[in-house]
Amino acid sequence: METKNLIHQNPGTWQEATRHPFLDAVREGTIPAPAFDAWLAQDYLFAGDLLTFQSRLLARTPRRDGAQAMLAGGLVAVEAELGWFEEKARERSLTLDVPRHPTAAAYGDLLAELEGVSYPAAMTALWAIERAYLEAWRSAASGDPDYREFVEHWTTPEFEEYVAGLGTAADSALARAGGAEIEESERVFGEVARLERDFWEMSFSAGGEA
Ligand code: HMH
């Protein structure tokens, strides 16, 4: 089993994780500001949780295939991303000191749970998390200039290369995994995809409430 099979075997789930009216509205420039701002503040919280998960994953990543260097580089990038979110929030006069929405809390719970799953499953989950964002933001590309820097953040060649590196590390781990670990990897892939969909849904509905 390889990472690409996970996407091919779950086309509907993956489509929902990576295509959403939120992203269409970003592309068209019709996203209501409250929806975008809600996404930004909740994604900042998510990125903080991701940093925690990824730090602990690095501690159990094997040296083979350059996986440690790849993941350590990713960790530096996630920390820098927190600073970038802080800067974007300042520019938009937003506070990042907001309560966690239940969906962001559920995603944080999954990240915490991933600390207890096998290495192949945890690496597969991290790959799915980043791969979902790459595809999702690609679907918002070539649109409204107001949001271009957000689209670019997750569609640069560097980010693409990072996602490919995560895929290589996950495939290498899956190639060595036993049946139970493969099953666990399939399960966490599904959970990541479901929470990615819920995250867009959460952000988009925040616009309707305003
Ligand atoms: C919800 N998924 C979510 N937020 C992100 N920033 C990423 C993935 C990519 O890091």
Side-chain angles (χ1 to χ4, degrees), residues 149-178:
E149 61 182 322
F150 291 93
V151 174
E152 280 172 358
H153 190 81
W154 286 285
T155 55
T156 58
E158 293 75 21
F159 186 64
E160 214 172 311
E161 205 177 299
Y162 174 53
V163 174
L166 289 171
T168 302
D171 284 336
S172 166
L174 289 168
R176 291 170 173 78

Side-chain angles (χ1 to χ4, degrees), residues 11-205:
T13 312
W14 192 247
Q15 170 93 7
E16 286 183 354
T18 56
R19 295 292 125 91
H20 195 275
F22 179 96
L23 294 155
D24 298 334
V26 167
R27 187 183 58 246
E28 302 305 324
T30 54
I31 187 80
F36 193 80
D37 294 347
W39 164 79
L40 197 151
Q42 295 298 321
D43 212 46
Y44 176 70
L45 295 173
F46 172 86
D49 293 339
L50 186 65
L51 184 77
T52 304
F53 161 62
Q54 195 161 339
S55 309
R56 295 190 171 132
L57 180 59
L58 178 58
R60 58 178 168 136
T61 295
R63 276 203 67 65
R64 65 172 171 265
D65 307 327
Q68 288 178 345
M70 183 275 302
L71 210 59
L75 196 54
V76 169
V78 174
E79 192 284 326
E81 187 166 282
L82 289 171
W84 180 77
F85 271 117
E86 287 154 8
E87 191 187 311
K88 295 301 129 194
R90 252 192 319 274
E91 287 170 14
R92 300 175 71 85
S93 307
L94 291 182
T95 176
L96 290 173
D97 187 18
V98 297
R100 259 185 180 65
H101 183 282
T103 298
Y107 215 154
D109 289 347
L110 175 66
L111 292 175
E113 187 212 311
L114 290 174
E115 290 177 19
V117 305
S118 65
Y119 170 72
M123 188 51 92
T124 297
L126 181 58
W127 160 77
I129 287 166
E130 302 293 19
R131 172 88 205 182
Y133 247 42
L134 173 66
E135 291 192 30
W137 286 100
R138 266 184 192 154
S139 80
S142 306
D144 194 90
D146 282 358
Y147 299 102
R148 194 156 291 160
E149 61 182 322
F150 291 93
V151 174
E152 280 172 358
H153 190 81
W154 286 285
T155 55
T156 58
E158 293 75 21
F159 186 64
E160 214 172 311
E161 205 177 299
Y162 174 53
V163 174
L166 289 171
T168 302
D171 284 336
S172 166
L174 289 168
R176 291 170 173 78
E181 291 176 339
I182 300 272
E183 257 177 50
E184 192 177 48
S185 304
E186 289 170 341
R187 177 178 68 79
V188 300
F189 174 83
E191 283 173 17
V192 166
R194 182 174 54 78
L195 281 160
E196 286 293 325
R197 178 205 59 200
D198 292 353
F199 213 88
W200 298 125
E201 203 56 38
M202 162 194 77
S203 307
F204 203 51
S205 66

